[in-house]
Amino acid sequence: MRLLKGLTEHAPTVSVADRALSADQLLSAAAAVAADVGGAATVAVDATATLETVVAVTGALLAGAAVVPVPADAGTAEREHILRDSGAALTLGNRPELFAAPVPVDVTRRSGTSYPAPAGDAVALVMYTSGTTGAPKGVELTHAAVEAGLDALADAWAWTAEDRLVHGLPLFHVHGLILGVLGALRTGSSLAHTGRPHPAAYAAARGTLYFGVPTVWSRVCAEPAAARALRPARLLVSGSAPLPAPVFERLYALTGHRPVERYGMTETLITVSSRADGERRPGQVGVPVAGVRTRLVAEDGTEVPRDGETIGELWVDGPMLLRRYRGQPATATRTPDGWFRTGDLARIAPDGWHRIVGRASTDLIKCGGYRIGAGEVEDALLAHPAVREAAVVGLPDADLGEAVTAYVVPEGTAVAERDLIDFVAALLSIHKRPRAVHFVDALPRNAMGKVQKKRLIGPML
Ligand code: MLC
Ligand code: AMP
């Protein structure tokens, strides 16, 4: 298939934790899944980090279906929302306790049927991601967009079939699934998924190319023996959240590698990166990848100078951008002249290097590289009978970048912090749970009654 053109009978080998499939086995197991999918337009996949998920996603793509990865740790409300909103006709997976009558995935099945490549404008994936308010939205990515996004990275990182990619990231987001699995199946590089992104597992896997979110790289640095084992690698890549400069420097000292940092979004795939054949600068995310143009815009809509000083909102355009959000018109995602507004604040230097300096809204939190909407966590907390008011913010955290932190005005009988954390974990997903809940008498509000989140983040208490 065109998107997974690196997946031939001879290459690559894919392993997840301690189980592996040869290319031939993966192709024929995926073809068996494709037969189950039949003509379904949209298929959900239980995206636990297993070999079954790799086979299910590959099979559904072979069949020409739009794939909806369901987070492995999704709670009831989030799972139901994704299944309903995406309109998935069936779910592939082996957890009948979570999904109604899932179609089981068996990696030992074989089929020799081949399938025609879907059209470039067919939707390949619908990736659910958080907004500042409301439930997650489904980002529709076409085959052509994923192909363009992966080819631009192969170019930037000199990523070829000679590589052995290692990572242990979740298989329900852009980083772990699109770059980390489909990228291998497109370039033909072998893939060793470590199950979880633990430093010791990275060290043992002996890859040439490693992916991690900053939390993973910071944990690798905290285990110097594991970090030193990465010296023979070709390239270490960080993304999904800002890589702190001290982590960059420590990684360099321990591994001899200056990590490549790249910037992206679910909606845009990766648009800016440093290059395998170029400089790497701590705190900077590089230059636009092939086919991408960027723009920095002030609040009044005027373009700000590329002087490395002036901050503006980053707008991007390129062939790897989303088609639309599920259920919304395509025009809703672009400005009238075709730009996608990222919501990220950036500076661009005269030499074209980009620096991400923050987000325009405090309501999108990045915790361990996961994007979490404050609004959805607040809504979940408010569904608990012991919560009268709730405000959620991301507070700086040395390990996670930002820690989801809730401020709650209680209602009636007392509730324990742990109970509220578990309540959110069970309803939304485990990774969206607040790491701390503070009980307060009142939330800081302005004269209009709006919660002043900056006072919760700043030195208010
Ligand atoms: C904790 N646990 C609970 C629980 N609290 N279980 C049930 N109920 C509760 N209340 C359990 C979890 O199941 C898990 O168990 C363990 O505790 C730890 O939870 P965690 O939150 O997963 O672990 P943590 O150490 O905090 O994770 C750090 C991390 C993770 C870095 C491994 O944040 C991560 O994988 N991040 C990657 C995010 C990512 O890929 N983002 C890409 C977005 S795409 P157990 O047994 O499982 O350990 C994107 C585009 C781009 O951004 O640019 O790339
Ligand atoms: P997601 O949709 O989960 O991919 O999250 C996208 C957001 O992650 C972006 O809008 C940025 O805020 C953030 N992000 C991704 N990569 C980087 C990076 N290298 N540096 C800073 N922020 C990043």
Side-chain angles (χ1 to χ4, degrees):
M1 181 179 48
R2 208 173 47 219
L3 169 56
L4 307 182
K5 67 178 173 139
L7 176 59
T8 67
E9 282 154 32
H10 312 293
T13 307
V14 172
S15 65
V16 180
D18 52 1
R19 295 159 68 218
L21 287 178
S22 67
D24 189 32
Q25 292 167 331
L26 171 56
L27 254 181
S28 57
V33 168
D36 290 342
V37 168
T42 305
V43 170
V45 173
D46 172 14
T48 47
T50 59
L51 214 43
E52 281 73 12
T53 298
V54 175
V55 168
V57 170
T58 307
L61 288 171
L62 278 183
V67 177
V68 184
V70 181
D73 63 348
T76 46
E78 188 155 316
R79 205 164 51 232
E80 280 162 20
H81 166 71
I82 292 173
L83 295 176
R84 192 177 47 244
D85 188 79
S86 66
L90 56 98
T91 302
L92 298 168
N94 296 333
R95 292 197 290 174
E97 68 281 14
L98 298 185
F99 298 93
V103 176
V105 182
D106 176 355
V107 302
T108 64
R109 283 169 69 203
R110 299 288 175 258
S111 161
T113 310
S114 56
Y115 292 83
D121 62 359
V123 174
L125 295 126
V126 187
M127 309 293 291
Y128 276 80
T129 192
S130 301
T132 51
T133 59
K137 290 182 285 188
V139 171
E140 293 186 353
L141 296 164
T142 64
H143 279 257
V146 176
E147 289 166 14
L150 293 175
D151 290 349
L153 295 182
D155 168 62
W157 303 341
W159 183 4
T160 69
E162 303 298 309
D163 277 307
R164 173 174 163 82
L165 172 64
V166 173
H167 73 92
L169 297 169
L171 297 184
F172 46 87
H173 281 311
V174 162
H175 200 161
L177 181 64
I178 300 188
L179 277 53
V181 175
L182 304 185
L185 300 183
R186 185 162 178 80
T187 56
S189 68
S190 65
L191 166 64
H193 188 286
T194 56
R196 299 267 300 166
H198 293 143
Y202 274 37
R206 310 236 159 258
T208 62
L209 177 62
Y210 281 84
F211 291 170
V213 296
T215 301
V216 168
W217 291 124
S218 142
R219 291 180 184 183
V220 165
C221 289
E223 294 185 30
R228 283 190 201 101
L230 306 186
R231 280 187 168 265
R234 184 177 70 78
L235 206 66
L236 312 183
V237 182
S238 179
S240 305
L243 182 70
V247 179
F248 179 109
E249 298 295 0
R250 180 101 181 108
L251 208 49
Y252 179 38
L254 288 167
T255 68
H257 293 286
R258 295 171 161 272
V260 157
E261 188 167 2
R262 93 294 181 292
Y263 158 84
M265 292 183 78
T266 306
E267 289 88 339
T268 65
L269 300 184
I270 308 309
T271 49
V272 181
S273 181
S274 50
R275 297 182 56 90
D277 60 4
E279 231 188 307
R280 330 266 162 80
R281 302 180 189 167
Q284 300 187 43
V285 293
V287 297
V289 299
V292 169
R293 53 190 190 127
T294 61
R295 196 173 183 217
L296 267 192
V297 182
E299 272 181 30
D300 64 4
T302 57
E303 195 154 350
V304 308
R306 293 173 173 242
D307 56 10
E309 296 288 332
T310 318
I311 294 173
E313 185 191 357
L314 185 64
W315 294 12
V316 299
D317 182 31
M320 59 288 281
L321 268 56
L322 80 167
R323 182 173 81 166
R324 57 167 195 170
Y325 292 110
R326 197 82 162 168
Q328 291 187 16
T331 45
T333 63
R334 304 289 186 110
T335 64
D337 46 356
W339 292 93
F340 179 86
R341 300 177 57 162
T342 66
D344 288 307
L345 302 176
R347 295 182 174 128
I348 304 178
D351 63 3
W353 273 68
H354 290 50
R355 188 188 283 273
I356 307 296
V357 297
R359 280 200 68 84
S361 165
T362 54
D363 283 336
L364 271 190
I365 300 164
K366 269 271 154 162
C367 177
Y370 284 116
R371 169 167 153 187
I372 300 165
E376 59 181 327
V377 182
E378 287 159 5
D379 290 347
L381 287 166
L382 287 168
H384 193 287
V387 175
R388 186 189 309 163
E389 294 175 43
V392 169
V393 294
L395 294 189
D397 184 275
D399 179 44
L400 298 167
E402 290 181 315
V404 177
T405 307
Y407 292 84
V408 162
V409 179
E411 170 81 53
T413 50
V415 61
E417 176 183 21
R418 188 75 252 161
D419 290 344
L420 288 184
I421 293 172
D422 290 346
F423 184 74
V424 176
L427 200 60
L428 296 183
S429 55
I430 292 170
H431 67 267
K432 290 181 179 169
R433 70 192 186 277
R435 303 297 172 130
V437 178
H438 301 293
F439 293 100
V440 291
D441 293 334
L443 297 175
R445 293 182 185 273
N446 66 15
M448 310 292 290
K450 191 173 176 316
V451 177
Q452 295 174 295
K453 294 215 172 162
K454 293 226 159 74
R455 288 184 57 201
L456 293 173
I457 296 167
M460 164 220 159
L461 296 172

